[in-house]
Amino acid sequence: MVPTFVDSFRPAWGTIFDMTPFAPFPQGRPRRLRRDEFTRNLVREHALTPHDLIYPVFVRDGRNQREAVASMPGVERVSLDLLLPVAEQCVALGIPVLALFPVIDPSLKTPDGREACNPEGLVPRVVQALKKEFPQLGVMTDVALDPFTSHGQDGLLDETGYILNEETVEVLVQQALTQAQAGVDIVAPSDMMDGRIGAIRNALEGAGQIHTRIMAYSAKYASAFYGPFRDAVGSAANRARATRRSTRWTRATPTKPCAKWRWTSPRAPTW
């Protein structure tokens, strides 16, 4: 058989294991590679284990506090004392990271979200407690202002209700530094402000927090599953009012496979 152009790019392991998708039946029998466990383990492309998982939890102040999240049946907002057994279970199951999403007292919410930078606030206290009890458990924290702003938006607003990018980034940097100093392993910016990843990285390096990792929610806005998730951290009514005031949505044409529809607006959306 004369080698073809395609054959020149075929990997050696594919030839060894009869992975010749261009060969006709019966020479090509892909089911051979699914016959037994050891072969499947050798040639499979993906594997999912507990090490690939991050467990999100919603935490609130107080003791023995448990509140159901209506938009996500089976999910609850819990106080720190009830969160510790959850963290212990994650360690036992081999889940490597717990992601924290705070639900703060409405009286602490302000237009500038300054509670996000409070070193004695809910998130730093929970991080410190978790790392003290379970140092082997990774802790990730949300970097965004919507749980802390009275208007429910991710950013600071001007007098017309438009989100200010640079001013918001400055606050996000301070929020990330506060969380890193509390001992968090990963800061996770979940807003959509331009330039915040680079600004946070530079600030962490400058503060000596060289081991703090950054994980951004880069494609969260492409999924309809994010709406119920947002409802878990604050007032849906506040967010709805802010959205109606600052955003007019129109459905656009399909874009790429990972984002079936693109939503456009004359003002920058935050989710």
Side-chain angles (χ1 to χ4, degrees):
M1 182 176 177
V2 178
T4 65
F5 178 78
V6 172
D7 289 325
S8 64
F9 288 93
R10 189 172 292 155
W13 55 265
T15 303
I16 293 171
F17 289 108
D18 292 326
M19 293 189 68
T20 51
F22 302 98
F25 180 84
Q27 287 80 12
R29 290 179 180 264
R31 290 184 63 244
R32 277 192 285 254
L33 302 180
R34 302 195 297 270
R35 181 174 175 80
D36 46 55
E37 185 176 6
F38 86 84
T39 305
R40 293 193 297 270
N41 289 340
L42 282 171
V43 302
R44 66 185 175 183
E45 183 178 359
H46 302 294
L48 181 64
T49 73
H51 293 164
D52 298 300
L53 303 177
I54 294 174
Y55 190 66
V57 294
F58 302 94
V59 62
R60 57 176 302 160
D61 257 320
R63 286 190 58 81
N64 198 31
Q65 296 294 311
R66 189 187 300 273
E67 180 185 6
V69 177
S71 60
M72 294 191 293
V75 177
E76 297 177 315
R77 307 178 183 100
V78 298
S79 51
L80 175 59
D81 56 318
L82 300 181
L83 178 62
L84 292 177
V86 175
E88 184 177 15
Q89 189 175 25
C90 285
V91 172
L93 294 173
I95 296 174
V97 180
L98 205 65
L100 300 180
F101 296 89
V103 182
I104 70 167
D105 190 298
S107 65
L108 298 175
K109 296 185 178 185
T110 57
D112 59 2
R114 59 178 176 270
E115 179 64 17
C117 305
N118 180 6
E120 304 298 327
L122 176 61
V123 172
R125 287 187 280 111
V126 172
V127 169
Q128 291 165 359
L130 287 172
K131 296 306 292 184
K132 179 180 179 181
E133 294 292 328
F134 308 103
Q136 72 274 43
L137 179 65
V139 178
M140 183 170 80
T141 46
D142 185 39
V143 177
L145 300 185
D146 56 302
F148 303 93
T149 55
S150 53
H151 45 70
Q153 289 282 12
D154 269 331
L156 308 185
L157 306 179
D158 65 12
E159 61 278 2
T160 69
Y162 186 76
I163 294 178
L164 302 170
N165 191 88
E166 280 73 12
E167 291 83 347
T168 300
V169 170
E170 291 182 12
V171 183
L172 294 174
V173 166
Q174 292 303 314
Q175 182 183 20
L177 284 174
T178 299
Q179 295 173 354
Q181 289 160 1
V184 73
D185 301 290
I186 307 170
V187 293
S190 67
D191 66 289
M192 291 172 62
M193 301 302 139
D194 293 330
R196 85 272 202 226
I197 301 298
I200 290 173
R201 183 74 268 163
N202 289 336
L204 291 172
E205 295 297 313
Q209 301 291 341
I210 60 174
H211 300 302
T212 306
R213 282 130 282 177
I214 300 175
M215 180 182 292
Y217 295 75
S218 302
K220 68 183 176 66
Y221 44 84
S223 171
F225 290 109
Y226 198 65
F229 195 87
R230 280 288 294 255
D231 290 342
V233 296
S235 168
N238 281 343
R239 289 194 303 278
R241 283 195 295 271
T243 304
R244 286 195 297 269
R245 182 174 62 250
S246 64
T247 307
R248 183 174 69 255
W249 302 95
T250 56
R251 197 172 193 179
T253 55
T255 54
K256 49 191 177 182
C258 65
K260 185 175 180 182
W261 298 99
R262 181 181 66 232
W263 295 90
T264 58
S265 165
R267 295 175 185 250
T270 55
W271 66 85

